Structures are given as structure tokens and as C-alpha cells.
Amino acid sequence: STTIRCLPKGICCWDYSLSAEQFCGNVRLNTFNERGGISIGSVEFDVVKNGMLSGSWSLVDQGGEIVSAQKKSAFLRDFAIETPDQTMSLAPTGVLQRTFLLRSATETVAEFRPDHPLTRRAKIEVMTEDWESPVIVFSFWLVALMWRRATQNS
């Protein structure tokens, strides 16, 4: 497995720096809307929300959509993640939990968890050997968005 460290870039912002052996990336959540971006190495991607009231986001590059996410319900924190190859699910491990699991049809692909209950520092534990970094980092972007929503609503 691969462990990716996710460190907030500041006290009041929800942007993250991601690092692991032979991997670096960034996650950016816009302050006033549910859009942002990710970078993996020197490659930049945009995260766009597909309609202001929709529960749908897309990861796009200059060639168009790479991955999409659809929230299963306005009341749940579960997502269907669509890649060109498969549909995966991203969901918390429990109702009040901050840990999320990304699952394919056959296995758990990654776990996203805070270091402890009162921090935004986090880890991504990638459990498969053959993983696509845009899918993993986009999934973490969605998890960070859910964490930010929970903080703003409490």
C-alpha cells in the first residue's frame, strides 16, 4: 500500500499539500463556492460543479472531463465516482465518521482519514498497486469538501 500525507496549507484555508514517496500534489477548494482544482506533479486539473444546486462535480483538464462524481442524496455524504473504466463509490465509514472509503466493485481502493478528530491533517492509504492518481486526489478533494461543509454547519 501507499500512504499519502495531506497537510493543510494554512490555519484558515482548506487547501492541502499531498506527498508520498515519488508523488506530490495539491488540492485547492475555492473559498466562496464548491469548485477548485487539483495538481499532480506539474499537471493541473479543474474541479467544476455541474450546476449551483446540483450534487455533481467533474474533474477536467484541457481535453475535457476525466472523472465525475454524483452525490447519491442531498442528505448523505455518499458519491458515485465515474471513470472511463468503472464506477466506484466514495462513502464515510459511518454516520458521524470523518473517515471515507473509495471502493471499486471488487475491492477497497483507498481510505481517507484525519490524523485525529480535531485536526485537518490527514492520510490517504491507497490499498491497490495499480491506482490512478487523478481519481484518488479528486476523491480526496470531495472528502475535504465534506469536512469543510461539516465544519461550517457546526
Side-chain angles (χ1 to χ4, degrees):
S1 76
T2 301
T3 301
I4 301 172
R5 294 285 307 132
C6 308
L7 299 175
K9 290 189 171 184
I11 293 172
C12 296
C13 79
W14 286 89
D15 296 349
Y16 283 85
S17 175
L18 281 58
S19 62
E21 193 173 315
Q22 305 199 2
F23 175 84
C24 67
N26 290 287
V27 167
R28 177 179 48 80
L29 276 80
N30 291 1
T31 304
F32 298 109
N33 61 39
E34 295 188 337
R35 296 178 177 204
I38 68 170
S39 64
I40 299 164
S42 62
V43 181
E44 300 275 336
F45 303 88
D46 290 321
V47 178
V48 296
K49 188 165 186 184
N50 303 316
M52 202 165 96
L53 299 177
S54 81
S56 174
W57 290 264
S58 296
L59 182 67
V60 297
D61 67 4
Q62 293 162 338
E65 183 179 273
I66 299 169
V67 184
S68 67
Q70 178 68 47
K71 210 159 171 274
K72 293 184 180 178
S73 160
F75 304 105
L76 299 174
R77 298 177 293 155
D78 300 37
F79 295 87
I81 308 288
E82 296 279 342
T83 74
D85 304 326
Q86 63 182 322
T87 300
M88 295 187 268
S89 68
L90 177 67
T93 56
V95 175
L96 299 175
Q97 298 297 313
R98 290 175 63 204
T99 299
F100 280 71
L101 295 177
L102 178 65
R103 293 186 171 117
S104 69
T106 57
E107 64 186 340
T108 299
V109 176
E111 178 186 64
F112 308 84
R113 68 177 183 280
D115 285 356
H116 60 78
L118 301 176
T119 186
R120 284 183 289 127
R121 287 189 310 272
K123 287 186 183 96
I124 303 169
E125 197 68 41
V126 182
M127 312 210 183
T128 59
E129 291 298 318
D130 191 24
W131 53 284
E132 297 179 49
S133 50
V135 174
I136 298 293
V137 178
F138 177 55
S139 296
F140 179 72
W141 188 95
L142 293 164
V143 169
L145 177 65
M146 293 299 99
W147 291 346
R148 183 176 83 175
R149 278 185 179 182
T151 300
Q152 290 172 340
N153 293 335
S154 61

